[in-house]
Amino acid sequence: MLVDFELIKRAQKGDSAAFNEIVLAYRKRILGKITRLIARAEDVEDVAQEVFLRLYFSLDQLRTPEVFEPWLYRLTVNAAYDHLRKQRRRQEFRISDLSEQQVMMADATAGGKVEREEQQQKKIREFVESLLSEVSESDRILLMMKEVEGLSLKELEKVYDVNENALKVRLFRARQRVLKAFGSKEQ
Amino acid sequence: MVPKGGNIDERLDALFRAYRDACPDRDASPNFMPNLWQRIEARQTYAFSFRRMAGAFVTAALALSVALGVYMAVPRGQQPNAPQSYIEALSEAQPLDAPDIVGPVSLDLSDARN
């Protein structure tokens, strides 16, 4: 826990300063999680604000401060899921739609070590993004929370409020799909 | 870009680790908190005006119910010969001794014989 229970209780009673402290404590972590979940840097702050907005208006429903972190992650997962669904509807043009040749040409134009590293990281993000497009938005988020965020099944059980076996089945199926896509893209 | 070596499961795990490194935790822009509070206040204003509208609607509905109740409860003067019910109105309009209803049926069969 990055904050103490007393601070959460104060925020629950409507103390704006306490809420501010909570946001400041978790802001960086939540921004990082959202960056990895939605993979669109320009929308990350907007989604993070939505998470804290939902937190502000639902904090009084939190029965025990002990479950604050799973609660906050659940809000993060839900906000990221809503964003991904909206994004799919918008059907925006993405760089991942470019051919490998076009990406290589973009690489060639970028000079310098930092640019090359950034390009390399961008390509990894694009590649993972293209693999994750093989699964639904909800499975994508579940897979990211497990494989990238490193949450255990016990932690995921608290976030999703679903039993461990059901989570295992969903995770297995999602991973199999991603593996299949990974295998075919490697060839 | 794609990690080499190991089986496909290990390579996928390595790719997820590389993805984790490619998306490090980041700090927010200076506008993050002001924008957040702006959104909270906007939502609160919206919720407040919605509550006020809902309250006004409930009050109006309650007032209308009370007015209708009072209207229905007040006894109104009736016309001396006004019918009281449907049956009474029917019997008054077409009494049983009216010839067009209770009179014997007569058939003219002269045309049929010819």
Side-chain angles (χ1 to χ4, degrees), chain B residues 31-81:
Chain B
N31 289 332
F32 186 86
M33 293 305 282
N35 286 348
L36 174 62
W37 279 107
Q38 227 170 26
R39 285 173 77 166
I40 288 172
E41 278 159 22
R43 185 77 63 94
Q44 271 174 333
T45 310
Y46 174 77
F48 178 70
S49 49
F50 182 78
R51 263 203 303 273
R52 259 180 56 177
M53 211 169 70
F57 182 76
V58 169
T59 309
L62 203 69
L64 191 68
S65 306
V66 170
L68 267 172
V70 169
Y71 176 76
M72 298 300 285
V74 169
R76 285 175 297 281
Q78 290 168 346
Q79 290 172 1
N81 295 323

Short mmCIF file of all heavy atoms in Angstrom, two decimals, chain B residues 31-81:
data_model
loop_
_atom_site.label_atom_id
_atom_site.label_comp_id
_atom_site.label_asym_id
_atom_site.label_seq_id
_atom_site.Cartn_x
_atom_site.Cartn_y
_atom_site.Cartn_z
N ASN B 31 -0.53 19.56 -15.96
CA ASN B 31 -1.97 19.85 -16.02
C ASN B 31 -2.83 18.71 -15.49
O ASN B 31 -4.06 18.83 -15.48
CB ASN B 31 -2.39 20.14 -17.47
CG ASN B 31 -1.85 21.45 -17.95
OD1 ASN B 31 -1.63 22.37 -17.16
ND2 ASN B 31 -1.62 21.55 -19.25
N PHE B 32 -2.19 17.62 -15.09
CA PHE B 32 -2.97 16.44 -14.71
C PHE B 32 -3.96 16.74 -13.57
O PHE B 32 -5.15 16.49 -13.71
CB PHE B 32 -2.03 15.30 -14.31
CG PHE B 32 -2.75 14.01 -14.04
CD1 PHE B 32 -3.05 13.14 -15.08
CD2 PHE B 32 -3.15 13.66 -12.77
CE1 PHE B 32 -3.72 11.95 -14.85
CE2 PHE B 32 -3.83 12.47 -12.53
CZ PHE B 32 -4.10 11.62 -13.56
N MET B 33 -3.44 17.29 -12.46
CA MET B 33 -4.32 17.53 -11.30
C MET B 33 -5.37 18.61 -11.58
O MET B 33 -6.54 18.39 -11.26
CB MET B 33 -3.50 17.88 -10.05
CG MET B 33 -2.64 16.73 -9.53
SD MET B 33 -3.56 15.21 -9.21
CE MET B 33 -4.33 15.58 -7.66
N PRO B 34 -4.98 19.77 -12.16
CA PRO B 34 -6.03 20.77 -12.46
C PRO B 34 -7.13 20.21 -13.36
O PRO B 34 -8.32 20.43 -13.12
CB PRO B 34 -5.27 21.90 -13.16
CG PRO B 34 -3.86 21.75 -12.72
CD PRO B 34 -3.64 20.30 -12.49
N ASN B 35 -6.72 19.44 -14.38
CA ASN B 35 -7.73 18.87 -15.29
C ASN B 35 -8.62 17.85 -14.57
O ASN B 35 -9.82 17.79 -14.82
CB ASN B 35 -7.05 18.18 -16.48
CG ASN B 35 -6.49 19.19 -17.46
OD1 ASN B 35 -6.79 20.37 -17.38
ND2 ASN B 35 -5.65 18.71 -18.37
N LEU B 36 -8.00 17.08 -13.67
CA LEU B 36 -8.78 16.09 -12.92
C LEU B 36 -9.84 16.79 -12.07
O LEU B 36 -11.02 16.40 -12.10
CB LEU B 36 -7.84 15.25 -12.05
CG LEU B 36 -8.53 14.26 -11.10
CD1 LEU B 36 -9.34 13.22 -11.86
CD2 LEU B 36 -7.50 13.58 -10.20
N TRP B 37 -9.43 17.83 -11.34
CA TRP B 37 -10.39 18.54 -10.48
C TRP B 37 -11.46 19.24 -11.31
O TRP B 37 -12.61 19.33 -10.89
CB TRP B 37 -9.68 19.52 -9.55
CG TRP B 37 -9.13 18.77 -8.37
CD1 TRP B 37 -7.82 18.48 -8.12
CD2 TRP B 37 -9.88 18.17 -7.30
NE1 TRP B 37 -7.71 17.74 -6.97
CE2 TRP B 37 -8.95 17.54 -6.44
CE3 TRP B 37 -11.23 18.09 -6.99
CZ2 TRP B 37 -9.34 16.85 -5.30
CZ3 TRP B 37 -11.62 17.41 -5.84
CH2 TRP B 37 -10.68 16.79 -5.01
N GLN B 38 -11.08 19.70 -12.50
CA GLN B 38 -12.06 20.32 -13.41
C GLN B 38 -13.13 19.29 -13.80
O GLN B 38 -14.32 19.60 -13.79
CB GLN B 38 -11.33 20.78 -14.66
CG GLN B 38 -11.68 22.18 -15.09
CD GLN B 38 -10.74 22.66 -16.18
OE1 GLN B 38 -10.17 21.86 -16.94
NE2 GLN B 38 -10.57 23.95 -16.28
N ARG B 39 -12.67 18.08 -14.10
CA ARG B 39 -13.62 17.04 -14.50
C ARG B 39 -14.50 16.63 -13.33
O ARG B 39 -15.70 16.37 -13.50
CB ARG B 39 -12.85 15.81 -15.03
CG ARG B 39 -12.31 16.05 -16.42
CD ARG B 39 -11.43 14.93 -16.88
NE ARG B 39 -12.17 13.76 -17.32
CZ ARG B 39 -11.64 12.77 -18.01
NH1 ARG B 39 -10.38 12.81 -18.37
NH2 ARG B 39 -12.36 11.74 -18.38
N ILE B 40 -13.91 16.57 -12.13
CA ILE B 40 -14.70 16.20 -10.93
C ILE B 40 -15.79 17.26 -10.70
O ILE B 40 -16.95 16.92 -10.47
CB ILE B 40 -13.78 16.06 -9.69
CG1 ILE B 40 -12.93 14.79 -9.81
CG2 ILE B 40 -14.59 16.02 -8.40
CD1 ILE B 40 -11.86 14.63 -8.74
N GLU B 41 -15.39 18.53 -10.79
CA GLU B 41 -16.36 19.61 -10.55
C GLU B 41 -17.46 19.62 -11.62
O GLU B 41 -18.62 19.83 -11.31
CB GLU B 41 -15.65 20.96 -10.50
CG GLU B 41 -15.05 21.21 -9.12
CD GLU B 41 -13.94 22.24 -9.12
OE1 GLU B 41 -13.88 23.05 -10.05
OE2 GLU B 41 -13.11 22.20 -8.18
N ALA B 42 -17.06 19.35 -12.87
CA ALA B 42 -18.05 19.31 -13.95
C ALA B 42 -19.06 18.20 -13.70
O ALA B 42 -20.27 18.38 -13.87
CB ALA B 42 -17.35 19.10 -15.29
N ARG B 43 -18.56 17.03 -13.26
CA ARG B 43 -19.45 15.89 -12.98
C ARG B 43 -20.37 16.21 -11.80
O ARG B 43 -21.55 15.88 -11.81
CB ARG B 43 -18.60 14.65 -12.71
CG ARG B 43 -19.34 13.34 -12.50
CD ARG B 43 -19.85 12.68 -13.77
NE ARG B 43 -18.80 12.30 -14.69
CZ ARG B 43 -18.24 11.08 -14.72
NH1 ARG B 43 -18.63 10.16 -13.88
NH2 ARG B 43 -17.32 10.80 -15.61
N GLN B 44 -19.79 16.89 -10.78
CA GLN B 44 -20.60 17.24 -9.61
C GLN B 44 -21.72 18.20 -9.98
O GLN B 44 -22.85 18.05 -9.54
CB GLN B 44 -19.71 17.88 -8.54
CG GLN B 44 -19.09 16.86 -7.61
CD GLN B 44 -18.10 17.49 -6.65
OE1 GLN B 44 -17.50 18.51 -6.95
NE2 GLN B 44 -17.90 16.86 -5.52
N THR B 45 -21.40 19.20 -10.82
CA THR B 45 -22.40 20.19 -11.26
C THR B 45 -23.52 19.49 -12.02
O THR B 45 -24.70 19.75 -11.80
CB THR B 45 -21.74 21.25 -12.18
OG1 THR B 45 -20.57 21.72 -11.53
CG2 THR B 45 -22.66 22.40 -12.47
N TYR B 46 -23.11 18.56 -12.88
CA TYR B 46 -24.10 17.83 -13.68
C TYR B 46 -25.00 17.00 -12.77
O TYR B 46 -26.22 17.02 -12.91
CB TYR B 46 -23.36 16.93 -14.68
CG TYR B 46 -24.25 16.02 -15.46
CD1 TYR B 46 -24.99 16.52 -16.53
CD2 TYR B 46 -24.38 14.68 -15.12
CE1 TYR B 46 -25.83 15.69 -17.24
CE2 TYR B 46 -25.21 13.84 -15.83
CZ TYR B 46 -25.93 14.35 -16.89
OH TYR B 46 -26.75 13.52 -17.60
N ALA B 47 -24.36 16.31 -11.81
CA ALA B 47 -25.12 15.45 -10.89
C ALA B 47 -26.06 16.31 -10.04
O ALA B 47 -27.21 15.93 -9.80
CB ALA B 47 -24.17 14.66 -9.99
N PHE B 48 -25.57 17.49 -9.62
CA PHE B 48 -26.38 18.37 -8.79
C PHE B 48 -27.60 18.86 -9.56
O PHE B 48 -28.72 18.82 -9.06
CB PHE B 48 -25.52 19.56 -8.32
CG PHE B 48 -26.28 20.56 -7.49
CD1 PHE B 48 -26.70 20.23 -6.21
CD2 PHE B 48 -26.58 21.82 -7.99
CE1 PHE B 48 -27.41 21.15 -5.45
CE2 PHE B 48 -27.29 22.74 -7.24
CZ PHE B 48 -27.70 22.41 -5.96
N SER B 49 -27.39 19.30 -10.82
CA SER B 49 -28.54 19.82 -11.59
C SER B 49 -29.52 18.69 -11.93
O SER B 49 -30.72 18.90 -11.96
CB SER B 49 -28.07 20.54 -12.85
OG SER B 49 -27.16 19.77 -13.54
N PHE B 50 -28.97 17.48 -12.14
CA PHE B 50 -29.86 16.34 -12.40
C PHE B 50 -30.71 16.03 -11.17
O PHE B 50 -31.91 15.79 -11.27
CB PHE B 50 -29.02 15.11 -12.78
CG PHE B 50 -29.84 13.91 -13.11
CD1 PHE B 50 -30.47 13.79 -14.34
CD2 PHE B 50 -30.01 12.90 -12.18
CE1 PHE B 50 -31.25 12.68 -14.64
CE2 PHE B 50 -30.78 11.79 -12.47
CZ PHE B 50 -31.40 11.68 -13.69
N ARG B 51 -30.05 16.08 -9.97
CA ARG B 51 -30.78 15.82 -8.73
C ARG B 51 -31.86 16.87 -8.52
O ARG B 51 -32.97 16.55 -8.09
CB ARG B 51 -29.80 15.81 -7.55
CG ARG B 51 -29.35 14.40 -7.15
CD ARG B 51 -28.87 14.36 -5.71
NE ARG B 51 -27.80 15.30 -5.47
CZ ARG B 51 -26.51 15.03 -5.67
NH1 ARG B 51 -26.17 13.84 -6.12
NH2 ARG B 51 -25.59 15.93 -5.42
N ARG B 52 -31.51 18.13 -8.82
CA ARG B 52 -32.49 19.21 -8.65
C ARG B 52 -33.69 19.02 -9.57
O ARG B 52 -34.83 19.19 -9.18
CB ARG B 52 -31.83 20.56 -8.94
CG ARG B 52 -31.46 21.29 -7.67
CD ARG B 52 -30.82 22.60 -7.95
NE ARG B 52 -31.62 23.49 -8.80
CZ ARG B 52 -31.25 24.72 -9.11
NH1 ARG B 52 -30.12 25.20 -8.65
NH2 ARG B 52 -31.99 25.48 -9.88
N MET B 53 -33.39 18.61 -10.81
CA MET B 53 -34.45 18.40 -11.79
C MET B 53 -35.34 17.24 -11.36
O MET B 53 -36.57 17.32 -11.43
CB MET B 53 -33.83 18.09 -13.16
CG MET B 53 -34.64 18.57 -14.33
SD MET B 53 -33.67 18.43 -15.83
CE MET B 53 -33.59 16.68 -16.05
N ALA B 54 -34.70 16.16 -10.89
CA ALA B 54 -35.45 14.99 -10.44
C ALA B 54 -36.30 15.36 -9.23
O ALA B 54 -37.47 14.95 -9.13
CB ALA B 54 -34.49 13.85 -10.08
N GLY B 55 -35.75 16.17 -8.32
CA GLY B 55 -36.48 16.62 -7.14
C GLY B 55 -37.70 17.44 -7.53
O GLY B 55 -38.79 17.24 -6.99
N ALA B 56 -37.50 18.33 -8.49
CA ALA B 56 -38.61 19.19 -8.95
C ALA B 56 -39.69 18.33 -9.60
O ALA B 56 -40.89 18.55 -9.38
CB ALA B 56 -38.08 20.21 -9.96
N PHE B 57 -39.29 17.31 -10.33
CA PHE B 57 -40.24 16.42 -10.99
C PHE B 57 -41.06 15.64 -9.95
O PHE B 57 -42.28 15.53 -10.07
CB PHE B 57 -39.47 15.46 -11.90
CG PHE B 57 -40.36 14.52 -12.66
CD1 PHE B 57 -41.08 14.96 -13.76
CD2 PHE B 57 -40.48 13.20 -12.28
CE1 PHE B 57 -41.90 14.11 -14.47
CE2 PHE B 57 -41.30 12.32 -12.97
CZ PHE B 57 -42.01 12.78 -14.07
N VAL B 58 -40.39 15.14 -8.92
CA VAL B 58 -41.07 14.38 -7.86
C VAL B 58 -42.06 15.29 -7.14
O VAL B 58 -43.20 14.90 -6.88
CB VAL B 58 -40.03 13.77 -6.88
CG1 VAL B 58 -40.71 13.22 -5.63
CG2 VAL B 58 -39.23 12.68 -7.57
N THR B 59 -41.64 16.52 -6.84
CA THR B 59 -42.52 17.47 -6.14
C THR B 59 -43.76 17.77 -6.99
O THR B 59 -44.89 17.77 -6.49
CB THR B 59 -41.76 18.79 -5.86
OG1 THR B 59 -40.53 18.47 -5.23
CG2 THR B 59 -42.55 19.72 -4.97
N ALA B 60 -43.53 17.99 -8.30
CA ALA B 60 -44.66 18.29 -9.20
C ALA B 60 -45.62 17.10 -9.27
O ALA B 60 -46.84 17.28 -9.24
CB ALA B 60 -44.12 18.63 -10.58
N ALA B 61 -45.06 15.89 -9.34
CA ALA B 61 -45.89 14.68 -9.41
C ALA B 61 -46.71 14.52 -8.14
O ALA B 61 -47.90 14.17 -8.18
CB ALA B 61 -45.01 13.46 -9.65
N LEU B 62 -46.08 14.81 -7.00
CA LEU B 62 -46.75 14.69 -5.70
C LEU B 62 -47.89 15.72 -5.61
O LEU B 62 -49.00 15.38 -5.19
CB LEU B 62 -45.72 14.94 -4.59
CG LEU B 62 -46.04 14.37 -3.23
CD1 LEU B 62 -45.96 12.85 -3.27
CD2 LEU B 62 -45.06 14.91 -2.19
N ALA B 63 -47.61 16.94 -6.03
CA ALA B 63 -48.61 18.01 -5.99
C ALA B 63 -49.80 17.65 -6.88
O ALA B 63 -50.96 17.84 -6.49
CB ALA B 63 -47.98 19.33 -6.43
N LEU B 64 -49.51 17.10 -8.05
CA LEU B 64 -50.57 16.72 -8.98
C LEU B 64 -51.43 15.60 -8.39
O LEU B 64 -52.66 15.61 -8.50
CB LEU B 64 -49.94 16.27 -10.31
CG LEU B 64 -50.91 16.07 -11.46
CD1 LEU B 64 -51.49 17.41 -11.91
CD2 LEU B 64 -50.21 15.39 -12.64
N SER B 65 -50.76 14.63 -7.71
CA SER B 65 -51.51 13.53 -7.08
C SER B 65 -52.43 14.05 -6.01
O SER B 65 -53.60 13.64 -5.90
CB SER B 65 -50.54 12.52 -6.46
OG SER B 65 -49.62 12.11 -7.41
N VAL B 66 -51.92 14.97 -5.18
CA VAL B 66 -52.73 15.53 -4.09
C VAL B 66 -53.92 16.30 -4.68
O VAL B 66 -55.06 16.13 -4.24
CB VAL B 66 -51.86 16.46 -3.18
CG1 VAL B 66 -52.74 17.25 -2.21
CG2 VAL B 66 -50.83 15.63 -2.42
N ALA B 67 -53.65 17.09 -5.71
CA ALA B 67 -54.72 17.88 -6.35
C ALA B 67 -55.80 16.96 -6.93
O ALA B 67 -56.99 17.20 -6.76
CB ALA B 67 -54.13 18.77 -7.43
N LEU B 68 -55.37 15.87 -7.58
CA LEU B 68 -56.33 14.92 -8.16
C LEU B 68 -57.14 14.23 -7.06
O LEU B 68 -58.35 14.03 -7.20
CB LEU B 68 -55.58 13.86 -8.97
CG LEU B 68 -55.43 14.16 -10.45
CD1 LEU B 68 -54.51 13.15 -11.10
CD2 LEU B 68 -56.80 14.11 -11.14
N GLY B 69 -56.45 13.88 -5.96
CA GLY B 69 -57.12 13.25 -4.81
C GLY B 69 -58.20 14.15 -4.25
O GLY B 69 -59.33 13.71 -4.00
N VAL B 70 -57.86 15.41 -4.08
CA VAL B 70 -58.82 16.39 -3.54
C VAL B 70 -59.99 16.54 -4.50
O VAL B 70 -61.16 16.52 -4.09
CB VAL B 70 -58.12 17.76 -3.29
CG1 VAL B 70 -59.14 18.85 -2.99
CG2 VAL B 70 -57.12 17.63 -2.16
N TYR B 71 -59.68 16.62 -5.78
CA TYR B 71 -60.72 16.80 -6.80
C TYR B 71 -61.70 15.62 -6.78
O TYR B 71 -62.91 15.78 -6.87
CB TYR B 71 -60.06 16.93 -8.17
CG TYR B 71 -61.04 17.02 -9.32
CD1 TYR B 71 -61.74 18.21 -9.56
CD2 TYR B 71 -61.27 15.93 -10.14
CE1 TYR B 71 -62.64 18.29 -10.59
CE2 TYR B 71 -62.18 16.00 -11.18
CZ TYR B 71 -62.86 17.19 -11.42
OH TYR B 71 -63.75 17.26 -12.45
N MET B 72 -61.15 14.41 -6.66
CA MET B 72 -61.99 13.21 -6.65
C MET B 72 -62.81 13.09 -5.36
O MET B 72 -63.89 12.52 -5.35
CB MET B 72 -61.14 11.95 -6.82
CG MET B 72 -60.37 11.88 -8.12
SD MET B 72 -61.42 11.92 -9.57
CE MET B 72 -62.06 10.28 -9.56
N ALA B 73 -62.25 13.62 -4.26
CA ALA B 73 -62.91 13.46 -2.96
C ALA B 73 -64.07 14.44 -2.77
O ALA B 73 -65.02 14.14 -2.06
CB ALA B 73 -61.89 13.65 -1.85
N VAL B 74 -63.97 15.59 -3.41
CA VAL B 74 -65.03 16.61 -3.22
C VAL B 74 -66.32 16.13 -3.91
O VAL B 74 -66.31 15.81 -5.10
CB VAL B 74 -64.58 17.96 -3.82
CG1 VAL B 74 -65.74 18.96 -3.89
CG2 VAL B 74 -63.46 18.54 -2.98
N PRO B 75 -67.45 16.03 -3.14
CA PRO B 75 -68.71 15.59 -3.77
C PRO B 75 -69.27 16.68 -4.68
O PRO B 75 -69.29 17.86 -4.30
CB PRO B 75 -69.62 15.33 -2.56
CG PRO B 75 -69.04 16.11 -1.45
CD PRO B 75 -67.59 16.32 -1.73
N ARG B 76 -69.63 16.28 -5.88
CA ARG B 76 -70.19 17.26 -6.80
C ARG B 76 -71.71 17.07 -6.91
O ARG B 76 -72.19 15.94 -6.84
CB ARG B 76 -69.54 17.10 -8.19
CG ARG B 76 -68.13 17.64 -8.22
CD ARG B 76 -67.48 17.38 -9.53
NE ARG B 76 -67.32 15.97 -9.82
CZ ARG B 76 -66.35 15.22 -9.29
NH1 ARG B 76 -65.48 15.75 -8.44
NH2 ARG B 76 -66.26 13.96 -9.58
N GLY B 77 -72.48 18.17 -7.06
CA GLY B 77 -73.93 18.12 -7.20
C GLY B 77 -74.33 17.43 -8.49
O GLY B 77 -73.73 17.68 -9.53
N GLN B 78 -75.33 16.46 -8.37
CA GLN B 78 -75.73 15.75 -9.57
C GLN B 78 -77.03 16.30 -10.12
O GLN B 78 -77.87 16.82 -9.37
CB GLN B 78 -75.90 14.27 -9.24
CG GLN B 78 -74.56 13.63 -8.95
CD GLN B 78 -74.74 12.25 -8.35
OE1 GLN B 78 -75.83 11.88 -7.93
NE2 GLN B 78 -73.66 11.52 -8.31
N GLN B 79 -77.26 16.13 -11.43
CA GLN B 79 -78.52 16.56 -12.03
C GLN B 79 -79.62 15.63 -11.51
O GLN B 79 -79.37 14.43 -11.31
CB GLN B 79 -78.42 16.43 -13.55
CG GLN B 79 -77.48 17.47 -14.15
CD GLN B 79 -77.21 17.23 -15.62
OE1 GLN B 79 -77.74 16.30 -16.21
NE2 GLN B 79 -76.38 18.08 -16.17
N PRO B 80 -80.81 16.17 -11.30
CA PRO B 80 -81.87 15.36 -10.66
C PRO B 80 -82.16 14.05 -11.38
O PRO B 80 -82.35 13.03 -10.75
CB PRO B 80 -83.07 16.30 -10.68
CG PRO B 80 -82.70 17.50 -11.48
CD PRO B 80 -81.23 17.52 -11.64
N ASN B 81 -82.19 14.06 -12.70
CA ASN B 81 -82.54 12.82 -13.41
C ASN B 81 -81.34 12.18 -14.10
O ASN B 81 -81.49 11.39 -15.02
CB ASN B 81 -83.62 13.11 -14.45
CG ASN B 81 -84.91 13.54 -13.78
OD1 ASN B 81 -85.26 13.03 -12.70
ND2 ASN B 81 -85.60 14.50 -14.39
#
